[in-house]
Amino acid sequence: MSREPQTRGRAATLEDVARVAGVSRATVSRVVNGVRNVDPGIQSAVREAITATGYTPNHAARSLVTRKAGTVALVVSGAGDEGEDTDPGFAARVFADPFFGRAVSGIIGYLRPHSLHPVLLFAETEAARAEAIAYLRQGSADGALVVTTHPADPLPARIADTGVPAVLFARPALPVPLSYVDLAHRDGAALAAAHLLARGRRTIATITGPLDVLAGQERFTGFREAMARHGHAWVPFAEGGFTLASGETAMRRLLDEHPGLDGVFAANDLMAQGACQVLRERGRRVPADVSVVGFDDSTAAVTANPPLTTIRQPVEEMAAEMARLLHTHIESGAAEPVAVVFDPELVIRASS
Amino acid sequence: MSREPQTRGRAATLEDVARVAGVSRATVSRVVNGVRNVDPGIQSAVREAITATGYTPNHAARSLVTRKAGTVALVVSGAGDEGEDTDPGFAARVFADPFFGRAVSGIIGYLRPHSLHPVLLFAETEAARAEAIAYLRQGSADGALVVTTHPADPLPARIADTGVPAVLFARPALPVPLSYVDLAHRDGAALAAAHLLARGRRTIATITGPLDVLAGQERFTGFREAMARHGHAWVPFAEGGFTLASGETAMRRLLDEHPGLDGVFAANDLMAQGACQVLRERGRRVPADVSVVGFDDSTAAVTANPPLTTIRQPVEEMAAEMARLLHTHIESGAAEPVAVVFDPELVIRASS
DNA sequence: GTGAAAGCGCTAACAC
DNA sequence: GTGTTAGCGCTTTCAC
């Protein structure tokens, strides 16, 4: 079953295959790399020799001459604490976010067919950031896909400095000469506003994301502006932190101040879920008494009770596009930074 | 701020540094690799030349001669469907499991200080498995850390065949000559039984995990045996699937058949959480009327309502141990496969 | 269409 | 303590 030729001793090299096939190394290389101009007869002879020897190309050797690592760094950049110790829970927290799984899913989807492999790089401390930069400069990866949680993350700028191709998820707070993929957050929020209004809601509040994060700001601004366009100059709001608990707290405050509200737009699904819980706790039926709209269309939107009407952020496609952009930049050498902005979409479920 | 010497043209090589410092390549190499026997004066001259040139060692070149990739494959092996298409949701589902985040956290914790980098490898289809094997045989990774969800996964055996060092999470269903890290599931279940009994519970049921998964079997067996030792020869049970929904379903069945039950052991926290919901729905107070014990001590245990008494599985430490074992195997060349089994621990919270 | 030969950037004997 | 010299395994002109 598991015959493993050439298992003893060192692994087979191009040289070994060439000797067995009775040709030169160059020819074997051509066959392996699918270069045309090789006689069909010789071609099959070489193939036989390859299976006979159990040959597998040595990646390092190939990399050395092609100057391609076949690898892409998946950099998850964190809060940016200057703390000495690495944050042990960082990875766990990142992975706990449904967003990350979807992003990885999309990234893998593109990378795999192109024989690129993602190397996980967490950069949550200064030391880790320095290490990540060193890693990139070593040429260990052909490029970097960067996901940041922190608004004022210094890493993107430093990556740009290395000259290694890189693509960011979301527009950086400070301009950086790197390509990025983003969502039209304002349009998404406007979609939510229009929907709530179309449902006949009149007293509509919003639970914002953290207002020092761009996405938080944009969703808030977009919502307010859309409401204003429909004649609602003032929108009651409470700031949340994109977590379930913060959604609950915000909802309580909103309800205390505006007991008569009949519509809520939460800047993400987790907070919308928290809002629903509090609403029910306070005797409001969702959606009979109050309509709730979330944002992201994460797994939370589907598992919530009731399932959430939400603004879909196509994370998988956005992540795949990141990978595609990066690949393009790697292939083309230079290339100007570009921004690809995706359109959100209203997904109607039971909460509105 | 961001001076980047030698940015134009090719990156600096050892040769360049040697020329600038007026020494030989070998000496620079010695300094870079911290080999003693280098004159302090020359040492600092070399260091200066290094910063002057902006030198960074080329990873591929180093790899080629040291035969070390500085990389470890993090293989997540899936259901093993023979389906043609790759499963788009696989990565997302894996990441959604709190277990995975904790495992990665522990792995990174060990790998990082040892300058090893994890490459993500999903192997959920036959094609992906073949690719993963090829990747390992190329020498792109020095070893593999394998996490399998599927009981009859063919991948571990094939990895063993490659001769590349590898360590598994959990004992494989079929014996494979690879090291693994596991938990004493039976002891954990026994801990749960003893605790429930100590709480004065008399009619105790269990929601098992999937019984075709080793962990599911072991937790069930351990629980039954412990209960038997305490005079409870028969334990009502319902099989679940380690998901929240399956916990709910199982709890309903159990309650229908044994309305008087006053204790439940669920084989994981998610199912325990589902059980609590159903219990409350049916008018039982937790823990006043029914004590509930989960397993894993995942994030679900803490966020559940009420917070769950559970059996802690030290995933981070287990994962770190995997990495440590792998590192040892890589360094020592051969080495016999070993098994490291961790002890579970009772964590008491509000549900019992 | 195929082979010979040069070299990618680095480490590691081995001399001195 | 430092320099010289071989390669590591591969791709890629350049002749033929």
Side-chain angles (χ1 to χ4, degrees):
Chain A
M1 220 34 191
S2 63
R3 255 169 305 141
E4 211 44 76
Q6 193 81 6
T7 279
R8 333 226 132 278
R10 285 160 29 275
T13 73
L14 219 47
E15 183 80 51
D16 299 324
V17 179
R19 201 179 319 110
V20 171
V23 297
S24 73
R25 294 206 314 270
T27 300
V28 179
S29 175
R30 289 186 187 107
V31 173
V32 170
N33 294 297
V35 179
R36 55 188 175 293
N37 290 352
V38 178
D39 180 282
I42 295 207
Q43 203 154 135
S44 59
V46 169
R47 283 193 204 295
E48 262 170 45
I50 287 176
T51 52
T53 52
Y55 171 75
T56 317
N58 177 302
H59 183 69
R62 181 178 279 181
S63 234
L64 180 56
V65 44
T66 59
R67 297 173 172 290
K68 290 253 164 291
T71 277
V72 159
L74 185 49
V75 185
V76 185
S77 190
D81 310 74
E82 295 292 325
E84 289 295 297
D85 286 334
T86 55
D87 176 353
F90 182 70
R93 258 178 292 120
V94 167
F95 281 66
D97 192 329
F99 161 83
F100 195 65
R102 293 176 67 190
V104 170
S105 203
I107 288 169
I108 302 270
Y110 180 89
L111 254 32
R112 179 132 72 189
H114 295 273
S115 317
L116 286 169
H117 295 271
V119 175
L120 229 39
L121 239 48
F122 288 92
E124 81 280 25
T125 62
E126 179 48 35
R129 274 194 290 274
E131 221 258 302
I133 294 292
Y135 184 81
L136 293 177
R137 303 200 47 202
Q138 268 184 115
S140 297
D142 298 323
L145 259 13
V146 185
V147 178
T148 295
T149 53
H150 198 64
D153 190 341
L155 194 65
R158 286 167 65 182
I159 290 181
D161 275 354
T162 65
V164 174
V167 179
L168 311 177
F169 194 100
R171 174 156 59 90
L174 284 68
V176 164
L178 253 27
S179 290
Y180 66 83
V181 163
D182 208 341
L183 184 79
H185 297 286
R186 294 187 188 212
D187 293 350
L191 245 32
H195 171 73
L196 252 9
L197 258 7
R199 282 287 195 253
R201 300 312 182 171
R202 287 297 163 253
T203 312
I204 304 175
T206 180
I207 300 176
T208 75
L211 295 177
D212 59 343
V213 172
L214 217 52
Q217 286 167 27
E218 294 279 287
R219 291 174 191 184
F220 184 32
T221 306
F223 190 71
R224 272 190 316 190
E225 289 181 355
M227 290 296 285
R229 280 197 298 277
H230 289 280
H232 296 252
W234 168 250
V235 174
F237 73 94
E239 184 176 353
F242 278 155
T243 65
L244 191 113
S246 72
E248 296 180 343
T249 308
M251 191 67 245
R252 283 201 189 91
R253 256 218 336 273
L254 250 16
L255 228 33
D256 287 344
E257 294 167 9
H258 311 270
L261 61 75
D262 58 5
V264 177
F265 165 56
N268 81 348
D269 292 333
L270 237 40
M271 295 194 299
Q273 193 179 358
C276 285
Q277 280 171 213
V278 169
L279 247 12
R280 230 171 315 130
E281 200 179 291
R282 296 275 179 106
R284 265 48 159 216
R285 291 163 304 165
V286 175
D289 301 323
V290 180
S291 288
V292 175
V293 176
F295 206 114
D296 281 348
D297 195 22
S298 66
T299 51
V302 187
T303 61
N305 180 11
L308 262 28
T309 289
T310 189
I311 306 301
R312 176 169 177 76
Q313 173 169 29
V315 177
E316 291 86 349
E317 293 144 62
M318 292 168 73
E321 175 64 16
M322 278 180 84
R324 201 191 62 74
L325 276 178
L326 182 62
H327 195 195
T328 306
H329 287 194
I330 290 172
E331 301 289 77
S332 69
E336 287 299 289
V338 304
V340 178
V341 179
F342 282 71
D343 286 325
E345 209 171 286
L346 175 69
V347 177
I348 298 180
R349 295 208 182 84
S351 70
S352 72
Chain B
M1 219 35 191
S2 61
R3 256 169 304 139
E4 211 46 78
Q6 193 82 7
T7 280
R8 334 225 133 276
R10 287 163 23 276
T13 73
L14 219 46
E15 184 81 49
D16 298 324
V17 178
R19 200 178 321 109
V20 171
V23 297
S24 73
R25 292 205 317 267
T27 299
V28 179
S29 176
R30 287 184 189 108
V31 173
V32 169
N33 294 297
V35 179
R36 57 190 174 293
N37 291 352
V38 178
D39 180 282
I42 296 208
Q43 203 155 136
S44 60
V46 170
R47 284 195 203 295
E48 261 171 45
I50 287 177
T51 51
T53 52
Y55 170 74
T56 318
N58 177 302
H59 183 69
R62 180 178 280 180
S63 238
L64 180 56
V65 45
T66 59
R67 298 172 170 291
K68 291 252 163 293
T71 277
V72 158
L74 186 49
V75 185
V76 185
S77 191
D81 310 74
E82 295 293 325
E84 288 294 299
D85 285 334
T86 54
D87 175 353
F90 183 70
R93 259 178 292 120
V94 167
F95 281 65
D97 192 329
F99 162 83
F100 195 66
R102 292 176 67 192
V104 170
S105 202
I107 288 170
I108 302 269
Y110 179 89
L111 253 33
R112 178 131 74 189
H114 295 272
S115 317
L116 287 169
H117 295 272
V119 176
L120 230 38
L121 239 48
F122 288 92
E124 80 281 26
T125 62
E126 179 47 35
R129 273 193 291 274
E131 220 258 304
I133 294 293
Y135 184 80
L136 292 176
R137 301 200 49 202
Q138 268 185 116
S140 297
D142 298 324
L145 258 14
V146 186
V147 178
T148 297
T149 54
H150 198 62
D153 189 342
L155 194 65
R158 287 167 65 182
I159 290 180
D161 275 354
T162 65
V164 174
V167 179
L168 311 177
F169 193 99
R171 174 156 59 91
L174 283 71
V176 164
L178 290 179
S179 291
Y180 65 83
V181 163
D182 209 342
L183 184 78
H185 297 287
R186 294 186 189 213
D187 294 350
L191 244 31
H195 171 74
L196 252 9
L197 258 8
R199 281 286 196 253
R201 301 311 183 174
R202 287 297 162 252
T203 310
I204 305 174
T206 180
I207 300 175
T208 76
L211 294 177
D212 59 342
V213 172
L214 216 52
Q217 286 167 28
E218 294 278 287
R219 291 174 191 185
F220 185 32
T221 306
F223 190 71
R224 272 191 315 190
E225 289 181 355
M227 289 298 285
R229 280 198 298 278
H230 289 280
H232 297 254
W234 168 249
V235 175
F237 74 95
E239 184 176 352
F242 278 155
T243 64
L244 190 113
S246 72
E248 295 180 344
T249 309
M251 191 67 247
R252 284 200 188 91
R253 256 220 336 275
L254 249 17
L255 228 33
D256 287 344
E257 293 167 10
H258 310 271
L261 62 75
D262 58 5
V264 178
F265 166 56
N268 80 347
D269 292 334
L270 237 40
M271 296 195 299
Q273 194 179 358
C276 285
Q277 281 172 211
V278 168
L279 247 12
R280 230 171 316 131
E281 199 178 294
R282 296 273 180 106
R284 264 58 155 207
R285 292 164 303 165
V286 176
D289 302 322
V290 182
S291 288
V292 176
V293 176
F295 205 113
D296 283 347
D297 195 22
S298 65
T299 52
V302 187
T303 62
N305 181 9
L308 262 28
T309 290
T310 189
I311 306 300
R312 176 169 178 77
Q313 174 170 27
V315 177
E316 292 86 349
E317 293 144 62
M318 292 168 73
E321 176 64 16
M322 280 180 84
R324 202 191 61 74
L325 276 177
L326 182 63
H327 196 195
T328 307
H329 287 193
I330 290 171
E331 301 289 77
S332 69
E336 287 298 289
V338 302
V340 178
V341 179
F342 281 72
D343 286 325
E345 208 173 285
L346 175 69
V347 177
I348 299 181
R349 294 207 183 83
S351 70
S352 72

